[in-house]
Amino acid sequence: MKIVKIKKHYICLLCISFLYSVVYTQQYEEMSFTELENAIIHTEDHLNSTIRRANGIMIIETIIDISEKFNPKQEYYLKGYSYNLLGKIHFSTKDYKEALRNYKIAELFVKELEGFQELSIDINNNIALVYINGFNKPKKALKRIKHIYEKSDDLNENSQHILALNLANIYIKTKNYNKAYHLLEKCKKYFINQQQQPSKLATTYTSYGEYYYRKKKYSTAIKYYELAATIAEKNQLFRQAMTIYKKYEDLLVKIGKEDKAYLILKKYTKHHQTALEIEKLEAEQYKKQLIVSEEKNTIETQKAQQSKTISIFTVSLLLLCLILFCFFIYNHRKTKILGKSLALRNKQLKISKEKSDHLAAVKTKFISTVSHELRTPLYGVVGLSSILMERIKDEENHKFIKLMKFSADHLLNLINDVLQVSKMESYEIRLDKSTYDIKNLADDIKNSFEYQADKNGNTLHLNFDPNIPNLLIGDSVRLSQIFINLISNANKFTKNGNIWLNFVNPVITDNTVEITFEIKDDGRGIPLDKQEIIFDKFSQANSKDHTTGTGLGLHIVKNLVDLHGGDIKIKSAPGEGSTFYFTISFEIDTMSEVSNTTNNTKNCISLLNTKEYNILIVEDNKINQIVTQNILKTKGYYSEIADDGLIAIEMVKQKKYDLILMDLNMPNMGGMESTKIIRELNSDVPIIALTASDTQDTIKAILNSDSGFSDFMRKPYKSEEFFRKIEMNITSTISKAS
């Protein structure tokens, strides 16, 4: 069965109206005009509970019906007064639409009268309160109440101050704080001396709290909210206390005092429960009154031979009403408490999320800046070493330059450690696929670490199984980073000993090979209880090891091995050394010729006469200009330089280029904006983005089909990859960057 939810005061109203409408009509029809006016006043003074409001609606509607027996002036006055009171009842239950309708009807009747200024002002004041509290239209409210306040000189002092208090609240809503403060000061002086008006004094202090809240004087606002709450509690104004504590809680949440806000929420809940209990008690008292009235009615109906039927029917409906009433009270209390608790929790979560988003943005900005600022100078080191390798051919110097280049690559990898940890956690690391000679890679790693090992009195051994194919497809940079971190780690904790780098046990299946790698030392070893944590971030086997590294090396190693599809393991014992080992599968490059030369240019597309091609280098860094231009010279390319994006645009207008190498971060105009303008001038010229940034956002921006870029490369880069991309873009049509 579907239960239709109806507000509890309407349920009571329907039941009571049905049972007692006849009795009330007979009772009030016999009253005079003055007695009916007093009945309205008495009803207005006793509307502090749901039951009494429901009873009041019945009384007022009865008076409206019988007021037509008087002369027009008396009739209009009773109807105006009654509809105004109906509006107040609906306003108290937050049925603002119905409240406004009744106030407007009351206004129509009062306009036909003369000499009832106080009632007219009260109606206009009530309409203003509906506009501001019910429909959030402070300008309409201000127009109403400001007009009647200026005409309130004939009112008694109490009514004038009530109007002033309402006007002050509207001024606060409309941010006219100076006028609001002046009126509040006036009201405070008056209501402090009016002991019979605690509700208005509490409202005044609440308005002070709202005023200082909006002025961002939070400590003063808290003081006044506490004063208002104290007065409301002292005078058992529980509903008003609930409203005050709600505003107080909102303020505490805003200034970040969630713990205190929770305590205030508990007070709110306590008063809400107290108010419900009082209303329940009043309902029981009212029930007794109804039972007494029913007994009288039963005697009368017995004379009319209807007592038995009406009595049974009345008791049944009354019990049903009370059951429904209790149910809705219970449900409302539970829902209210849960709702407030969830609202507070949602506010806390929202604040936490905003802080988290801010920290994430700062982290991303830091990574982007560090990535660019560190990789840009390294581009010069790697690039110049590559140029020197091409120009210097004697064996001894060539070997030194080769080691310098490898060390520069190693330095770049070390700088990337901290950046890579963040990228691994956000799944931004992906393995590249390119052909490389794994034997040369092993030799380079061994040679680059011989000097470092010799400083600790260690001997570095390389065992390379001859059955391992030389040319493999994979990410040589990530693989070498694994070995570099593990060898460096072994060298730290081994003195006057041996370190072995073993490439062993190849298992070849079709065009793949599975290789086992071991990095072994005879150093101090790792205790068993520390072997589980050494792969965690910033973890080290010994608390004194913080002076020897960042604690990120093994964490990066584990993640990179996992990325290759392997699983790194360790065998170690104190005083017996350590062995780190793992197995990785590689694709064999069966399409390339077996070659042991260090410069593998198999991916390059051979151009017959590179001197015929003119390349525009758009780069603001002078060292990088020299590096890029000289690397191009090694292949015979002619090139020109533009210091920023604006200059590049002017050069493209005046001359045709076969390819553009575009840096992203430049003064005056960056590469992104410059590329879009160049595309409007020339839609065919290949444009390759050169970036030292390695963030996902930067790469996505380059790869966007609207960016205008044909391709991209990260700095620093390998020469063979550099020339392969240049030749591929020159000999093909413009395509989307991929």
Side-chain angles (χ1 to χ4, degrees), residues 11-12 15 51 279-280 282-288 290-291 314-329:
I11 295 173
C12 296
C15 295
I51 296 297
E279 290 177 359
K280 180 180 178 182
E282 290 175 347
E284 291 174 353
Q285 293 174 348
Y286 191 70
K287 173 187 171 183
K288 294 177 181 179
L290 291 179
I291 292 173
T314 300
V315 172
S316 299
L317 282 179
L318 184 59
L319 289 174
L320 177 61
C321 176
L322 289 174
I323 291 171
L324 289 173
F325 181 65
C326 293
F327 170 76
F328 280 110
I329 288 177

Side-chain angles (χ1 to χ4, degrees), residues 57-70:
I57 291 175
M58 185 179 61
I59 294 172
I60 296 304
E61 288 182 343
T62 301
I63 293 174
I64 289 173
D65 290 336
I66 64 177
S67 63
E68 295 177 359
K69 71 178 185 179
F70 300 104

Side-chain angles (χ1 to χ4, degrees), residues 293-353:
S293 298
E294 177 58 23
E295 290 174 353
K296 293 180 180 179
N297 192 45
T298 300
I299 296 172
E300 294 176 1
T301 54
Q302 281 176 349
K303 295 177 182 180
Q305 297 179 351
Q306 298 177 354
S307 60
K308 184 176 180 180
T309 303
I310 293 177
S311 178
I312 295 173
F313 187 62
T314 300
V315 172
S316 299
L317 282 179
L318 184 59
L319 289 174
L320 177 61
C321 176
L322 289 174
I323 291 171
L324 289 173
F325 181 65
C326 293
F327 170 76
F328 280 110
I329 288 177
Y330 176 80
N331 185 61
H332 177 72
R333 182 178 65 182
K334 291 294 184 182
T335 304
K336 199 77 173 179
I337 294 173
L338 180 60
K340 294 299 180 182
S341 177
L342 290 175
L344 180 61
R345 177 60 60 187
N346 285 338
K347 289 177 182 178
Q348 293 171 340
L349 291 175
K350 184 178 179 182
I351 293 171
S352 298
K353 182 179 181 300

Side-chain angles (χ1 to χ4, degrees), residues 541-607:
N542 192 309
S543 60
K544 298 179 180 179
D545 292 342
H546 66 277
T547 59
T548 61
T550 64
L552 292 175
L554 291 179
H555 176 72
I556 292 172
V557 166
K558 178 171 173 44
N559 280 277
L560 290 177
V561 172
D562 291 343
L563 199 62
H564 279 84
D567 182 20
I568 189 166
K569 297 179 181 179
I570 180 175
K571 292 188 296 186
S572 182
E576 297 180 8
S578 303
T579 301
F580 291 85
Y581 61 98
F582 54 93
T583 300
I584 297 177
S585 293
F586 299 91
E587 184 181 350
I588 303 171
D589 187 354
T590 58
M591 302 299 294
S592 297
E593 296 181 1
V594 178
S595 173
N596 290 325
T597 58
T598 56
N599 293 321
N600 181 4
T601 60
K602 74 178 190 66
N603 290 321
C604 294
I605 303 170
S606 184
L607 296 175

Side-chain angles (χ1 to χ4, degrees), residues 277-485:
E277 289 174 354
I278 291 173
E279 290 177 359
K280 180 180 178 182
L281 180 61
E282 290 175 347
E284 291 174 353
Q285 293 174 348
Y286 191 70
K287 173 187 171 183
K288 294 177 181 179
Q289 294 175 2
L290 291 179
I291 292 173
V292 173
S293 298
E294 177 58 23
E295 290 174 353
K296 293 180 180 179
N297 192 45
T298 300
I299 296 172
E300 294 176 1
T301 54
Q302 281 176 349
K303 295 177 182 180
Q305 297 179 351
Q306 298 177 354
S307 60
K308 184 176 180 180
T309 303
I310 293 177
S311 178
I312 295 173
F313 187 62
T314 300
V315 172
S316 299
L317 282 179
L318 184 59
L319 289 174
L320 177 61
C321 176
L322 289 174
I323 291 171
L324 289 173
F325 181 65
C326 293
F327 170 76
F328 280 110
I329 288 177
Y330 176 80
N331 185 61
H332 177 72
R333 182 178 65 182
K334 291 294 184 182
T335 304
K336 199 77 173 179
I337 294 173
L338 180 60
K340 294 299 180 182
S341 177
L342 290 175
L344 180 61
R345 177 60 60 187
N346 285 338
K347 289 177 182 178
Q348 293 171 340
L349 291 175
K350 184 178 179 182
I351 293 171
S352 298
K353 182 179 181 300
E354 289 174 353
K355 290 180 180 178
S356 177
D357 291 344
H358 175 69
L359 291 175
V362 171
K363 177 181 175 182
T364 301
K365 178 66 176 176
F366 169 77
I367 291 173
S368 177
T369 303
V370 171
S371 175
H372 181 269
E373 294 301 321
L374 294 180
R375 292 181 186 211
T376 297
L378 276 175
Y379 169 69
V381 177
V382 174
L384 290 172
S385 61
S386 298
I387 294 170
L388 291 174
M389 284 178 65
E390 290 289 333
R391 294 184 178 181
I392 299 176
K393 299 299 182 181
D394 65 279
E395 184 176 349
E396 183 177 2
N397 288 328
H398 189 276
K399 178 181 177 182
F400 291 150
I401 295 169
K402 181 180 178 181
L403 292 176
M404 180 179 72
K405 182 178 182 300
F406 187 83
S407 296
D409 291 334
H410 173 43
L411 177 59
L412 177 62
N413 290 333
L414 292 177
I415 291 173
N416 285 340
D417 276 356
V418 175
L419 303 177
Q420 280 188 339
V421 169
S422 176
K423 293 180 68 179
M424 286 173 180
E425 290 174 348
S426 58
Y427 304 100
E428 292 185 7
I429 294 289
R430 293 180 179 85
L431 296 177
D432 293 332
K433 284 191 175 182
S434 60
T435 299
Y436 63 94
D437 190 321
I438 192 169
K439 179 64 168 65
N440 286 343
L441 178 69
D443 289 335
D444 288 342
I445 292 171
K446 177 179 180 296
N447 292 336
S448 66
F449 270 97
E450 281 184 340
Y451 175 74
Q452 182 181 348
D454 186 60
K455 285 179 64 178
N456 284 353
N458 296 324
T459 302
L460 184 59
H461 308 276
L462 172 62
N463 296 323
F464 191 91
D465 194 311
N467 294 320
I468 297 175
N470 281 357
L471 295 181
L472 303 179
I473 297 175
D475 194 326
S476 61
V477 174
R478 305 299 183 198
L479 185 62
S480 64
Q481 190 174 3
I482 294 172
F483 300 136
I484 288 168
N485 276 296

